[in-house]
Amino acid sequence: MARPIWTGTLSFGLLNVPVSLMSGERSVDLHFRMLDNRSNTPVRYERVNAETGEEVPWKEIVKAFEYEKGSYVVLEPDDIKSASSEGREAVEVKTFVDAGSIGPEYFEKPYILVPGKKAEKGYVLLRETLKRTGKIGIARVVIRTREYLSAVMPRDNSLLLMLLRYPQELVDAGDYKIPEGAVSDYRISPKELEMAEQLIDSMSDEWKPGDYRDEFRERLRAVIEKRLKSKGVVTPPSEDESEMPENASTNVVDFMALLQKSLDTKQRTPAKKTATKKTSEKKAPRKAASRKSTGKDAAGKKKPAAKTAKKTAHRRTA
């Protein structure tokens, strides 16, 4: 059973609802360790004094702010606590705003608010009122040693606490070179717009999160399992497999042709299996041509593997 981040209250106006703050996300990353290549033993990071090189124990480490190069002001734990708001264990809603008025760039991290014992009535009251009005609450909350701006919003039967980014944490899009002006300035014709709308309409579907998965993580796990079984070198993908696709964006591209091709594909090959089969048949000659043009034969492809194997043998001997 997951442990709460903290237990406190959710307050709006004069109403206070006892809640527990639970994490709304889980890590699925694959974690790696750094090893010494000479002995395959783990490498650890140590806290060392920059001048003496001696290891410093945790109890001797303090937090400090560098106000000038090489000059610091040391902060005590009470100094940091004094900067926190008084309601350290409270989600205090300051105002309510329209749910659609906050841009997606402000949302950062989700938490789930779980009502305490005998606090269901106030919890449901706020949840249903937010649903009926289309509003979300803007609140401040202190988690551990930092105060966050947050939004309280309904989601099915629960109330989410979504951490928000402060405006000063965001980069203004105007800092980059973004295309501006009318559509006609980029020689986009009405017909292209119409066909693009048709393409989007043909590809539109309901949002089903379960249909998506971290494919990179799955492939990486497969590579790890392959290494465990073979205990050898995994051959990297050949160049012909990493070629630029035909429909990759370039400076000079026929958008009309790509849009029409996309529409034709959607209309003529609705079944995914058929599309996959046709695509594989079309790409097969290109791969063969690519191998021929690069001048690589079977022996040429084995050279990198042989070189790596030789290097591995040398390490084992060492």
Side-chain angles (χ1 to χ4, degrees):
M1 184 66 181
R3 295 183 179 181
I5 307 300
W6 56 253
T7 301
T9 59
L10 167 61
S11 64
F12 55 106
L14 299 178
L15 297 178
N16 292 280
V17 182
V19 292
S20 295
L21 189 66
M22 309 294 292
S23 177
E25 63 178 0
R26 60 167 55 93
S27 175
V28 293
D29 291 341
L30 297 175
H31 299 283
F32 297 91
R33 289 293 306 271
M34 300 183 69
L35 303 180
D36 187 333
N37 187 44
R38 298 166 297 182
S39 58
N40 286 343
T41 52
V43 175
R44 68 183 185 187
Y45 290 94
E46 297 182 346
R47 304 169 301 278
V48 296
N49 187 302
E51 293 185 359
T52 64
E54 296 179 354
E55 185 175 356
V56 181
W58 276 113
K59 64 179 182 178
E60 300 297 337
I61 295 178
V62 296
K63 292 185 177 181
F65 176 76
E66 187 176 15
Y67 60 92
E68 289 181 2
K69 185 67 175 177
S71 298
Y72 308 87
V73 56
V74 176
L75 295 178
E76 300 293 337
D78 291 339
D79 295 331
I80 299 176
K81 290 182 181 179
S82 65
S84 303
S85 58
E86 295 181 0
R88 286 183 55 83
E89 296 176 350
V91 179
E92 186 177 355
V93 177
K94 298 293 185 180
T95 186
F96 293 93
V97 301
D98 291 335
S101 63
I102 302 179
E105 68 273 16
Y106 285 94
F107 295 104
E108 183 175 8
K109 189 176 184 180
Y111 287 93
I112 298 175
L113 292 168
V114 180
K117 292 182 178 180
K118 299 181 180 180
E120 291 85 358
K121 181 176 181 179
Y123 188 92
V124 174
L125 174 63
L126 177 59
R127 183 190 69 197
E128 295 305 313
T129 305
L130 291 177
K131 287 183 178 180
R132 290 165 63 97
T133 59
K135 302 283 187 179
I136 58 177
I138 302 301
R140 292 184 180 275
V141 59
V142 176
I143 301 178
R144 297 187 176 93
T145 60
R146 181 181 171 186
E147 184 178 76
Y148 295 89
L149 186 66
S150 62
V152 178
M153 57 180 64
R155 181 61 177 168
D156 298 329
N157 292 327
S158 64
L159 284 174
L160 293 183
L161 179 77
M162 183 70 70
L163 298 188
L164 302 176
R165 297 183 178 91
Y166 287 100
Q168 57 267 32
E169 295 179 280
L170 298 174
V171 177
D172 190 347
D175 293 346
Y176 302 103
K177 189 177 181 181
I178 306 295
E180 298 180 353
V183 173
S184 58
D185 295 342
Y186 300 93
R187 298 189 298 278
I188 299 175
S189 67
K191 183 63 176 177
E192 287 176 320
L193 282 173
E194 181 183 348
M195 294 178 68
E197 290 176 2
Q198 293 177 15
L199 175 60
I200 291 176
D201 183 64
S202 67
M203 296 177 64
S204 297
D205 201 352
E206 294 181 1
W207 165 239
K208 301 175 183 177
D211 291 347
Y212 302 90
R213 63 185 189 276
D214 188 347
E215 295 181 357
F216 171 77
R217 178 175 174 271
E218 292 178 0
R219 290 194 297 268
L220 185 57
R221 181 176 289 278
V223 170
I224 293 173
E225 292 176 355
K226 185 176 180 180
R227 263 200 181 277
L228 287 173
K229 292 178 181 179
S230 65
K231 297 182 180 179
V233 178
V234 177
T235 306
S238 58
E239 292 183 6
D240 58 333
E241 293 178 355
S242 58
E243 284 182 339
M244 180 178 291
E246 293 181 356
N247 61 345
S249 297
T250 57
N251 291 332
V252 182
V253 63
D254 189 347
F255 281 95
M256 188 78 75
L258 291 178
L259 290 169
Q260 186 62 59
K261 186 177 180 181
S262 299
L263 285 171
D264 292 343
T265 303
K266 285 292 175 182
Q267 293 172 358
R268 297 176 186 174
T269 57
K272 292 184 177 179
K273 291 183 179 180
T274 306
T276 305
K277 185 178 180 180
K278 288 185 177 181
T279 304
S280 61
E281 290 176 356
K282 288 181 179 179
K283 287 189 175 181
R286 292 189 64 226
K287 289 186 177 181
S290 175
R291 294 192 187 102
K292 186 176 181 181
S293 61
T294 54
K296 292 183 177 180
D297 53 10
K301 285 189 175 181
K302 290 180 179 179
K303 286 182 179 179
K307 185 176 180 181
T308 310
K310 185 177 180 180
K311 186 176 181 181
T312 306
H314 177 72
R315 288 179 181 170
R316 290 176 178 173
T317 306

